Amino acid sequence: MDGLGWFGVDAVWAPVLASLVWSLNPAAVSRWARRASPMFFTAVRGVVALAVVGVAYPVLGVFGFEPSAGVFSLVPLLLVFASALAGPAVGDAAYVRAIQVLGGSLAVVVSYTYVFFAQLFSYILGIEAPNPWMVAGGSTAFLGVVVAAYQPGAKVSPVGVVYGFIAAVCWGIATVTIKLVEGYMDPVSLSAVRLAMVVAVLTLLSLLAGEDRSVDSGFLKAATITGGLGWGVGMILFVYSIYAIGPSATAIATSLTPPLSQMTSRIVAGEKASARNILGALLVGLGIALTYAPRLLGR
């Protein structure tokens, strides 16, 4: 059994589960890797993720998964490189910079407009047709992100906003580009190739920048959580979801990440989730339900 049969069809649970593991990233980095060199840390995350993806092959094989024959020709590899460069590399770097300039609350809101960019690029490339349910679902989910993450009084810097939109555009490009290579690589192999590219690029950039490459126990804990779960497990689920339900529905479902991140950060800090976090998560959930309404109604 190859392709998507090993996970089943209409797996909205895949991006939801990806959002759950991604929600652990801010708390892990804040607690254990606040002073880590960003490019070196991200490269190590990628190495850990590659190990997890390697283990995924035999584990998923027990459930009938077989890697695709995989045509590793030039065009698919260029598309994979574009998705890796746009998403985990440039997009994530711009997101971090947006957080540094704007603060977390506004940076999350600006960057998660990627939901709309993913829809727009998907429509432009003819991957998906314009769908009012998708638009309504995306708008509702984004409202949930705003409610959960935005704090009144956050400083507004034009430069920070630009970084946030760069992250949003890059994430939208990466999401749509993944769909274009569906016929060439299975989700696990595509995740492995993307991660290998990210590790190679960021290791080189870290060396050129002369970053500090010291490692302690906290660094390893954060890299294990954010790399092993966030990228190892999360990336496979993300790629599979794009294959199975499309870029737009995946982007909308992963809007759960900001409200869930607020909650997990509070749990790590020993605090209760606020009413805003809960309401935001419920609104994102409603957005996902609206996105899936045509399927639920049998249309």
Side-chain angles (χ1 to χ4, degrees):
M1 185 185 300
D2 57 10
L4 301 178
W6 53 285
F7 260 142
V9 186
D10 282 352
V12 70
W13 58 267
V16 170
L17 184 55
S19 295
L20 180 60
V21 295
W22 289 344
S23 74
L24 300 173
N25 291 350
V29 172
S30 178
R31 181 167 181 178
W32 292 303
R34 187 184 294 268
R35 296 179 179 84
S37 300
M39 288 185 288
F40 176 62
F41 174 71
T42 304
V44 174
R45 285 179 64 200
V47 172
V48 176
L50 276 171
V52 171
V53 171
V55 173
Y57 280 104
V59 171
L60 293 173
V62 174
F63 299 96
F65 166 69
E66 295 178 7
S68 61
V71 181
F72 291 88
S73 55
L74 180 60
V75 173
L77 285 176
L78 287 176
L79 288 172
V80 174
F81 181 75
S83 74
L85 187 64
V90 177
D92 282 20
Y95 180 51
V96 170
R97 186 57 183 153
I99 292 173
Q100 292 172 338
V101 176
L102 294 175
S105 66
L106 185 55
V108 166
V109 172
V110 176
S111 299
Y112 267 79
T113 57
Y114 107 90
V115 170
F116 303 116
F117 284 109
Q119 289 181 326
L120 176 63
F121 297 148
S122 185
Y123 299 156
I124 290 174
L125 293 174
I127 295 173
E128 296 172 312
N131 183 327
W133 291 100
M134 288 281 190
V135 175
S139 300
T140 304
F142 181 69
L143 177 60
V145 173
V146 175
V147 170
Y150 181 65
Q151 300 296 326
K155 59 181 179 180
V156 180
S157 162
V159 174
V161 171
V162 169
Y163 277 116
F165 277 120
I166 289 174
V169 172
C170 286
W171 289 346
I173 292 172
T175 301
V176 172
T177 306
I178 287 172
K179 182 66 175 177
L180 297 177
V181 296
E182 179 179 350
Y184 297 93
M185 298 182 202
D186 63 86
V188 183
S189 298
L190 177 53
S191 298
V193 174
R194 288 182 90 219
L195 287 167
M197 289 176 172
V198 170
V199 170
V201 169
L202 290 179
T203 298
L204 176 61
L205 291 177
S206 177
L207 289 171
L208 292 175
E211 283 188 330
D212 175 33
R213 293 187 294 278
S214 59
V215 175
D216 57 20
S217 60
F219 182 105
L220 293 175
K221 286 179 184 177
T224 299
I225 294 172
T226 64
L229 289 176
W231 271 2
V233 176
M235 190 175 293
I236 293 174
L237 292 170
F238 182 65
V239 172
Y240 163 71
S241 177
I242 292 172
Y243 282 8
I245 63 177
S248 294
T250 298
I252 291 168
T254 55
S255 295
L256 272 172
T257 302
L260 288 177
S261 294
Q262 298 282 328
M263 293 182 187
T264 52
S265 294
R266 286 177 175 270
I267 290 171
V268 170
E271 303 173 4
K272 292 183 179 179
S274 70
R276 288 173 61 92
N277 302 151
I278 295 172
L279 177 59
L282 290 174
L283 284 169
V284 174
L286 176 60
I288 296 171
L290 286 172
T291 301
Y292 268 74
R295 300 176 190 226
L296 295 174
L297 296 174
R299 297 182 183 178

